[in-house]
Every structure is written in C-alpha cells, then in structure tokens.
Amino acid sequence: MAALCRGRHRWKRTHCLRVFTRNLTAKYDYDLVVIGGGSGGLACSKEAAQLGQKVAVLDYVEPSAKGTKWGLGGTCVNVGCIPKKLMHQAALLGTAVKDAKKYGWQISGTVCHDWPTMAEAIQNHVRSLNWGHRVQLQDKKVKYLNIKGSLLDEHTVKGLTKAGKETVLTAKNIVIATGGRPKYPTNIPGAMEHGVTSDDIFWLKKSPGKTLVVGASYVALECAGFLTGIGLDTTVMVRSIALRGFDQYFLSCLKANILFWFMEQMAGLVTDYMEAYGTKFAWKCVPKRVDKLSSGALQVTWTNTQTGAEQKDTYDSLLWAVGRAPETKALGLDKLGIQLNKETGKLIVGADESTSVPNIYAFGDISEGRPELTPTAIKAGKLLARRLAGQSTELMDYDNVATTVFTPLEYGCVGLSEEEAEKRHGKDGIEIYHAFYKPLEFTVAERDASQCYIKVVCERGGDQKILGLHFTGPNAGEVTQGFAMGFQCGATYSHLLQTVGIHPTCAEEVVKVSITKRSGLDATVTGC
C-alpha cells in the first residue's frame, strides 16, 4: 500500500510538472501567438493564418501620459504615418490656396484653418481603419485578444485584461512586435506634466496654438511643418543637428559663378525651406524647465549651449519629439534571459528575426538595428510567417529601404548617404551627380525653389552602380518609391541616362543629372 501511495504521489507530481511546463510533446493552443497589433504584427498574423496556421494576436494600448488612447492598428494607423500624412496634406492645401491666386483663382475674404474640423475628420478615418483591421482578423480567422501579453516561457504567454483577469495561451512559436512609444525627458522639471508627444498631438480636440517642438527628428520636423502650414506660430528647438542619420554632407559648388560652402546638405535643405516657410528654429538650445503660468500658458526656460545664455518664452503647447523607446518593460524578457541592447533596450535578433531564446522571434521597431519604418515591419512580418509555416526560407533584406520625410519640402532617399558611401568606398571611389531644379508648379506661383535638389551617389569605377539617391521637392515619396525598385535590380548611372523621362515632371530631373560635384560646375538646371 505504501509503495502504491508513493507511486501515485510520484505520478501526480510528474503529471503536474508536465502540465505546468507545457511539455513540448503536448499540443499547443496555437501555432503562433503574436504580441502586438501594429502594422507588422497584424501582417504577420494574417499571413500565418492564410498559410493554415492557428493564430492569436494580443494587443493592448496603454494610455499616454496625457490619457490618450486608441484602437487596433499600432502607431502608424493611430498616432503616426496616417494622421501625420493627412495633416501634412492639410498644410499643403493651405500653400495651394496661396498659389491659387497667382493661377487666377479669385479668393475673397480671409482664408483660415479650423483645427476641430480637420481633427474630427482625421480621427473618424483612423477609427474606420481600426474597425477594418478587426474585420480583417475575423475574416482570416485570427483570434484577436484585447489583452496585455507577457512571456512565461518560450511557449507560453500570459494575457492580462484591463480588469486584471488573466489568460494563459500556449504556442509553438511566439512573435514580439510591440513597437515603441515616444519618450519624455526625465531631467527637466515640468516636462511630462505640461508637455505632449506624438501620441497626443493627432487626437487633440482643439488647436495646440503657439507651439514649441523640442527635438529635430523627422517626427519633430514633420509635426512642426504641418503646424506652421495650418497657420500656427511654431518653433523647433534643436540641441545639435536636424535629421540625424540622414544625409548631412557639407558640399561646395559653383553657383551663379560664386564658389561657396553649403550647409545645405539634404537635412539642411529641409530646415532651410522650413525657415523660409515660417517655422522658427532655436539652434543649439536645450530646455531647462517648464512652468505653467496662472494664465494657462507654458513658460519654457532654455539654455543656449554656445553662449550659455538663459532664455524664456511662453507657448500654448509643448511637443516633445526627443526619440522613442521600445515597448519591452512589461514583456517579462528578463525572466527568460532574452538578450537586449542595454543602451537602447531593443531586442537583439538574428537575420531570421530570432531572439536568443528558441521559438521566440521579434521584428520591427523593437528589434536592434532595424529601420523604424512601417513597410519594413510589414514585409519582415510576412516573411517571418512564411518561414515559421515552412513555406519559405527567404529573409528580409534591410538594405536599400526607401523612406521619405513629409516636411513642407519633402525629402525622399534610398540607399547610402554621401557620408556612408565615402566611408565604405573612399572619397575617390565615389562620384556624386547632383542638380538644383525648379518644379514647374513653382514658376507661376513664384515660389522659391533654391532647396529643390537631387543627389545621386554612385561608384566611380566600372558601371557606376548607384549607391544612394536623395531628393528634396514636391511628392518626394512618390518619386523615390519608383526609383527604389531600380536599387533591387542593381541600377547603374548608365541605366539612369538610358531612361526616358516623363515631361514635365520633377522625377525626370533625376534621369537627367549630369553634373558631378567633383567638377565644381554650376548644377542649376536651366531651360525646360
């Protein structure tokens, strides 16, 4: 009898252990569980489901420090690409109204912008996209759970509802695609209490009014651009340089028979245009504190790092655009020993998006060294789903990914910057073809086109393979997208010259570039 009891006790202990650890020989609840319902996570989950996998996607949005919250779809849909581009369009329409008078349109009275009307229309569109994503998941038989996910082990995810109810799911593979959120500075009194971020700006019910944007990333410049464009007094505070990571090359050229040095590298061209457009810049300045006055205005105190002088001004709104942090803290990564970059907090992943723990993968903004771009995450997510389903071995190619900064004068680029090309190939190993051009649309409107510029970075020898393309001008995203495909095909400068342009367009100026920077000749395009 004692032996039988011991045997039963041993069986019970072993059985419980097996259930607790979800023994690998057991059947999982799902083939794939995706934590994160942004563009990448949704693309991965839907692709996997189409390939016959049983899939669940967990998504939960923590409200911003200001209480802003939104629906399914992640940053891009709710507080990023989509509302940003629509507000950019609102600003472009304001410029078009001014141009229209030169084109003969009789516009009487004062033209002004109404923020609530714009905001409501954009927010309604975003909500329609939230609903559309939910419908797509249902149609593709992906289980959607509005719960916060964290890891228990390499096959187990714990979900927590807003009310605190726990759900445990098991899966053969787990994918983390939680993206990132805007950061607040931690050493500036009043920063979080009185400031907002890009998580809030698109959901404001009333106009932000006179605004100080702190930061010089593409998020900062894009927001400052559309705020200026709709008629708001806007200042950008820059600690060092604008658009860090984009082309920053100082160049010299002969223009109007005068040799001079440009600080009009691609990033500089964007900010130069913005200044002419009406955006103010406080260069080499860092905020010190933020105080709310009895009037309700925000008094910002800052220091000029060059002179050491302290200055103050008042604003209606303060927008922090000082970077983003990966959403990793609540995932339980430390318990599993998943390797992170200690400086950035991002997950270290392999070429196949695998983490340091088997069966757990990550991609998108949360992964170290990956472009923080929506289309990149979507593509990477689909390819990962195909590999996990055993349908493909194709890896994501992160080279030559095109992108565009939607500032008042748009900046599109693909491939290497001039600085990076010089580092890799040497100054004598590259050739830079460039041109200053004037969009036809700017002529009648008498708009300044001095920042409309094209730079094509090529290898100097052989077939002159194109290494990078940079374009500032109207519709830069549309122009750059087309040429980006050429990079996948190994485009050369000869291919560019053999291409017949579409006339009259800005894009045709790219296939006509013939002046090298090395020559020192005037790169201004003349004639039509």
Side-chain angles (χ1 to χ4, degrees):
M1 180 64 71
L4 180 60
C5 289
R6 284 196 301 272
R8 285 178 176 174
H9 178 71
R10 191 162 52 244
W11 178 88
K12 187 176 181 181
R13 184 176 60 195
T14 304
H15 178 71
C16 290
L17 181 64
R18 184 173 295 136
V19 171
F20 179 76
T21 59
R22 310 290 181 179
N23 191 289
L24 297 184
T25 59
K27 186 177 180 181
Y28 302 111
D29 299 328
Y30 295 92
D31 296 306
L32 178 66
V33 167
V34 178
I35 304 176
S39 300
L42 293 176
C44 182
S45 63
K46 289 185 288 186
E47 186 73 11
Q50 284 186 304
L51 296 171
Q53 301 279 287
K54 186 179 180 183
V55 184
V57 59
L58 282 59
D59 186 64
Y60 181 83
V61 179
E62 286 283 0
S64 73
K66 294 299 178 184
T68 307
K69 51 188 177 180
W70 51 86
L72 182 64
T75 296
C76 175
V77 168
N78 295 283
V79 289
C81 320
I82 299 301
K84 177 270 304 286
K85 182 72 182 294
L86 292 173
M87 290 194 178
H88 172 60
Q89 175 64 13
L92 292 180
L93 289 172
T95 302
V97 169
K98 295 174 185 176
D99 290 350
K101 295 178 182 179
K102 294 288 181 69
Y103 279 92
W105 286 93
Q106 302 300 306
I107 301 173
S108 59
T110 303
V111 177
C112 59
H113 182 268
D114 183 65
W115 177 280
T117 300
M118 174 191 72
E120 183 181 6
I122 291 173
Q123 289 160 13
N124 286 341
H125 175 65
V126 168
R127 291 188 184 98
S128 74
L129 296 178
N130 298 147
W131 175 251
H133 281 308
R134 295 188 68 163
V135 171
Q136 286 180 20
L137 292 179
Q138 187 174 5
D139 289 347
K140 297 183 187 301
K141 296 180 172 54
V142 175
K143 181 69 174 178
Y144 165 57
L145 298 166
N146 183 210
I147 56 179
K148 186 189 301 182
S150 61
L151 302 170
L152 294 180
D153 61 40
E154 66 268 31
H155 293 287
T156 312
V157 173
K158 180 180 76 173
L160 190 67
T161 67
K162 185 179 180 180
K165 182 181 178 181
E166 287 189 7
T167 302
V168 175
L169 304 88
T170 60
K172 181 180 179 181
N173 293 300
I174 299 169
V175 167
I176 305 171
T178 49
R181 298 288 289 270
K183 294 190 293 187
Y184 278 94
T186 57
N187 60 341
I188 300 173
M192 184 176 289
E193 183 182 358
H194 303 305
V196 298
T197 70
S198 57
D199 274 358
D200 310 295
I201 190 74
F202 304 109
W203 291 90
L204 296 178
K205 299 297 183 185
K206 64 177 184 178
S207 171
K210 180 183 178 182
T211 304
L212 174 65
V213 180
V214 180
S217 64
Y218 70 90
V219 174
L221 298 187
E222 287 176 337
C223 289
F226 69 67
L227 291 174
T228 302
I230 61 175
L232 301 182
D233 184 342
T234 309
T235 301
V236 180
M237 185 171 289
V238 185
R239 181 185 60 185
S240 54
I241 61 172
L243 294 178
R244 187 179 298 278
F246 289 83
D247 191 283
Q248 299 282 342
Y249 206 87
F250 289 73
L251 58 95
S252 64
C253 76
L254 184 65
K255 192 173 183 183
N257 298 316
I258 301 174
L259 183 66
F260 62 97
W261 285 94
F262 275 80
M263 281 193 65
E264 294 172 332
Q265 67 281 24
M266 304 307 297
L269 290 168
V270 170
T271 54
D272 285 350
Y273 187 91
M274 288 182 68
E275 287 191 282
Y277 185 71
T279 306
K280 302 168 187 173
F281 282 82
W283 296 99
K284 307 296 181 183
C285 292
V286 292
K288 193 174 179 181
R289 63 177 298 109
V290 185
D291 298 290
K292 191 165 188 175
L293 304 178
S294 58
S295 64
L298 302 179
Q299 179 176 273
V300 181
T301 305
W302 68 88
T303 303
N304 185 305
T305 59
Q306 288 183 315
T307 65
E310 187 173 288
Q311 296 172 272
K312 296 180 182 180
D313 201 353
T314 56
Y315 301 89
D316 299 311
S317 297
L318 169 60
L319 173 64
W320 296 105
V322 292
R324 298 176 66 82
E327 283 280 81
T328 58
K329 291 181 180 179
L331 291 173
L333 304 180
D334 53 337
K335 298 176 184 177
L336 274 67
I338 293 178
Q339 291 183 4
L340 303 176
N341 181 312
K342 293 181 180 179
E343 290 185 9
T344 65
K346 294 188 175 187
L347 282 74
I348 297 173
V349 296
D352 61 349
E353 323 301 349
S354 60
T355 69
S356 57
V357 174
N359 306 105
I360 299 179
Y361 300 81
F363 66 89
D365 294 8
I366 200 170
S367 299
E368 182 62 34
R370 302 304 196 217
E372 295 185 3
L373 299 168
T374 296
T376 311
I378 292 173
K379 181 74 171 176
K382 288 182 177 181
L383 290 175
L384 176 58
R386 292 169 195 166
R387 293 196 301 273
L388 294 179
Q391 300 296 312
S392 172
T393 58
E394 183 183 356
L395 298 174
M396 177 65 189
D397 180 5
Y398 288 100
D399 290 332
N400 297 326
V401 174
T403 189
T404 291
V405 183
F406 290 100
T407 38
L409 185 71
E410 296 177 8
Y411 168 31
C413 61
V414 58
L416 302 182
S417 66
E418 186 175 347
E419 304 98 305
E420 185 60 31
E422 188 174 304
K423 286 179 185 176
R424 296 190 189 186
H425 299 274
K427 194 167 187 176
D428 292 331
I430 61 173
E431 195 73 84
I432 309 298
Y433 295 91
H434 67 154
F436 287 91
Y437 71 99
K438 187 162 191 173
L440 183 62
E441 299 88 337
F442 281 27
T443 55
V444 171
E446 298 178 338
R447 287 170 61 184
D448 179 23
S450 58
Q451 288 88 24
C452 293
Y453 180 66
I454 297 164
K455 179 193 288 189
V456 181
V457 184
C458 303
E459 290 180 352
R460 194 177 183 189
D463 293 332
Q464 290 193 287
K465 181 180 178 181
I466 300 175
L467 304 172
L469 172 66
H470 302 264
F471 178 98
T472 54
N475 306 302
E478 313 297 339
V479 173
T480 309
Q481 182 68 83
F483 285 103
M485 190 177 75
F487 279 70
Q488 301 301 319
C489 305
T492 66
Y493 180 63
S494 296
H495 289 142
L496 207 63
L497 295 184
Q498 290 166 11
T499 302
V500 178
I502 300 173
H503 186 70
T505 63
C506 295
E508 75 171 313
E509 300 301 338
V510 178
V511 302
K512 289 162 56 179
V513 288
S514 60
I515 303 297
T516 66
K517 199 176 81 170
R518 190 186 307 275
S519 71
L521 297 175
D522 184 1
T524 303
V525 175
T526 57
C528 66

